[in-house]
Amino acid sequence: MTAPAPIDSLPTVILKPREADRIVAGHPWIYAGAIMHVTQGVTDGDLVQVKDHRKHWLGIGLYNAKSKITVRVITHEHTTVDQAFFEARIKAALEVRRRHLPGATSFRMVNAEGDFLSGLIVDKYDDVLVLQTSALGMDLRKQTIVAALKNLVSPRTIVERNEMASRKFEGLSDANGILEGTLDGPVSVNLNGLKFETDLRAGHKTGLYLDQQANYQRTAELIALTPGATVLDCFSFLGGFALHAARAGAKQVVGLDQSADAVAAATRNATANGLAAQCTFENANVFDWLKSQTTVGPHEKLIPKFDAIILDPPSFTRNRASVPDALRGYKEIHLRALKLLKPGGLLATFCCSHHVDSATFQDVVLSAAFDTRRILRRVATFSQSPDHPYIPSIPETEYLKGFAFEVVR
Ligand code: SAH
């Protein structure tokens, strides 16, 4: 008898009846409650074979009994999970970006479940890569992944930004460092032909909101329909929407953010792109700012002054239980923004909470429109940019939604 192939000698996780379908459909997560049996002692972080209750093959996954997600399936094939495997999988992800974001040099190169690599995120900022591993099995294979990334895109630098709360649930501690090359201070990243200075070792997310890159362009096109527009960019961070609007011809753009660092960086970004004359960024709490601008005395009338307002807040929800509070927050900013919009004006609004679906989100906007006696025309719908792929059989891969409305009256 020949020695068993390494794959067949892997420990086996047998699922309970009726638990196999979602795995076959492409969902990678297996919770403890779905498991009938594990054939032999497995060490956390190891590869396992996954089979249905009749012992039919389903795939190979990464095991971690410490995590709520006990197994993350990474392939349905009978294949060795080595550097070549990661290289092929990441190459496929790169091709998706090249097809759907042609010409882009900065994008999320691997988005975990969206690219069938649960627990791995790789962002590409020109020639610098930022890596995050949020699952033990991926974390243990970091060096293999780094080698695959070097072969594929020859990055100047690879940064590790592993400070996510989710690592705790996998038994992993925080890590932040340079895995390859060197990095001296903030870098200037090219996004849609604009330059954004960003600190890849300390900024939000891994540096920029790459998921909005397609929406920056589309929103700017809509703003350009009103030559010389006056624009308000709420929650402006590094000036993503503001700078795109200014480049598209807006004559006065005001950005608001409660982070003084973000305001300072956005101001530098405006200068670096030759857009300083049109853009000002203010350090303000958007809720307070909008309230002060919409509060009028008994005999005063509010004069709307903006041709376009962008609302791109952080997620107001952490879980399902916080949704009602979040909806009150969304309603409040929409009510006030609508009061500040001129007739015919454009409202581009986004919600990045997975727990608020787009119908619910639109209902909030409509309720604010009703209260302010505005009627809206929907002129665009937005979702996350194609470097954050949405896989319908993995509902968790959808989170960003948005709309552009014009005020009819
Ligand atoms: N529109 C940005 C991303 C926004 S992220 C872009 O495309 O890059 C959310 C931003 O809102 C962060 O920069 C954060 O500092 C800011 N923020 C969060 N709560 C705020 C508040 N109440 N008022 C003002 N800014 C806030």
Side-chain angles (χ1 to χ4, degrees):
M1 228 176 79
T2 52
I7 295 160
D8 299 322
S9 65
L10 292 176
T12 304
V13 169
I14 314 264
L15 301 189
K16 290 180 182 165
R18 288 185 303 280
E19 296 291 350
D21 281 3
R22 66 190 226 124
I23 304 303
V24 172
H27 206 299
W29 297 350
I30 299 171
Y31 296 108
I35 297 175
M36 183 156 72
H37 181 60
V38 183
T39 54
Q40 40 173 288
V42 196
T43 308
D44 287 343
D46 277 359
L47 292 168
V48 289
Q49 315 177 59
V50 181
K51 295 185 176 174
D52 72 8
H53 69 289
R54 294 200 169 88
K55 309 231 170 97
H56 291 147
W57 168 267
L58 290 171
I60 299 173
L62 294 164
Y63 185 88
N64 185 4
K66 280 195 204 75
S67 170
K68 231 173 73 184
I69 304 168
T70 312
V71 180
R72 296 167 189 260
V73 174
I74 52 172
T75 179
H76 295 179
E77 308 289 318
H78 233 89
T79 184
T80 314
V81 179
D82 54 7
Q83 186 181 325
F85 166 84
F86 282 105
E87 233 172 277
R89 192 56 67 79
I90 298 171
K91 185 161 182 260
L94 253 178
E95 274 157 16
V96 172
R97 279 65 181 170
R98 293 201 171 124
R99 193 162 59 241
H100 294 285
L101 288 172
T105 53
S106 302
F107 43 77
R108 179 153 291 190
M109 202 166 130
V110 177
N111 196 26
E113 285 78 16
D115 291 295
F116 308 100
L117 286 167
S118 179
L120 177 67
I121 285 176
V122 182
D123 283 338
K124 181 177 178 307
Y125 293 99
D126 297 320
D127 55 0
V128 180
L129 301 184
V130 183
L131 180 118
Q132 294 183 310
T133 42
S134 60
L136 174 67
M138 282 294 174
D139 199 70
L140 292 173
R141 287 161 182 79
K142 213 157 52 189
Q143 288 316 321
T144 309
I145 294 164
V146 163
L149 291 168
K150 282 164 68 179
N151 273 354
L152 284 167
V153 290
S154 313
R156 170 169 71 87
T157 303
I158 303 181
V159 181
E160 171 177 13
R161 278 293 298 277
N162 270 327
E163 311 124 308
M164 306 82 79
S166 55
R167 276 173 62 96
K168 234 186 13 255
F169 306 120
E170 293 276 325
L172 291 164
S173 50
D174 285 358
N176 174 318
I178 306 289
L179 300 175
E180 267 304 311
T182 55
L183 189 72
D184 309 313
V187 296
S188 174
V189 172
N190 179 326
L191 200 70
N192 297 328
L194 288 166
K195 287 181 278 201
F196 291 89
E197 172 202 304
T198 173
D199 185 349
L200 298 178
R201 287 193 66 177
H204 291 220
K205 290 247 191 175
T206 64
L208 283 177
Y209 286 83
L210 296 167
D211 54 357
Q212 288 285 26
Q213 61 181 297
N215 303 333
Y216 292 148
Q217 302 262 52
R218 182 72 188 116
T219 302
E221 281 166 23
L222 292 167
I223 291 172
L225 299 174
T226 305
T230 303
V231 178
L232 178 66
D233 178 7
C234 296
F235 310 93
S236 51
F237 189 44
L238 302 183
F241 284 101
L243 298 191
H244 282 80
R247 181 177 62 177
K251 85 167 183 298
Q252 202 203 338
V253 184
V254 177
L256 303 176
D257 203 287
Q258 72 179 10
S259 151
D261 287 346
V263 167
T267 306
R268 287 194 295 275
N269 288 337
T271 304
N273 289 285
L275 299 167
Q278 298 94 307
C279 297
T280 48
F281 292 92
E282 284 180 39
N283 190 192
N285 179 314
V286 167
F287 286 85
D288 297 341
W289 194 95
L290 289 176
K291 193 168 181 186
S292 72
Q293 296 290 314
T294 47
T295 305
V296 288
H299 302 294
E300 284 171 343
K301 196 170 175 310
L302 182 68
I303 314 281
K305 37 176 173 295
F306 292 102
D307 296 297
I309 298 183
I310 295 130
L311 298 175
D312 182 28
S315 173
F316 293 152
T317 62
R318 286 222 168 270
N319 46 45
R320 224 156 259 298
S322 58
V323 168
D325 275 346
L327 296 182
R328 272 189 289 279
Y330 286 120
K331 169 100 183 256
E332 159 93 13
I333 53 176
H334 285 88
L335 266 176
R336 300 201 184 268
L338 285 169
K339 289 185 182 170
L340 289 175
L341 263 186
K342 293 183 195 166
L346 182 86
L347 174 70
T349 181
F350 299 87
C351 169
C352 60
S353 169
H354 169 70
H355 300 290
V356 177
D357 65 23
S358 74
T360 308
F361 183 52
Q362 176 165 284
D363 280 349
V364 171
V365 184
L366 282 191
S367 150
F370 181 83
D371 290 359
T372 50
R373 298 294 183 266
R374 296 287 175 109
I375 292 173
L376 305 177
R377 176 190 308 116
R378 197 170 92 186
V379 293
T381 57
F382 301 110
S383 69
Q384 58 225 40
S385 292
D387 55 341
H388 291 62
Y390 169 44
I391 310 297
S393 60
I394 315 174
E396 296 83 357
T397 55
E398 185 181 40
Y399 67 101
L400 181 62
K401 67 274 317 175
F403 305 106
F405 296 100
E406 286 172 352
V407 176
V408 179
R409 64 166 173 77

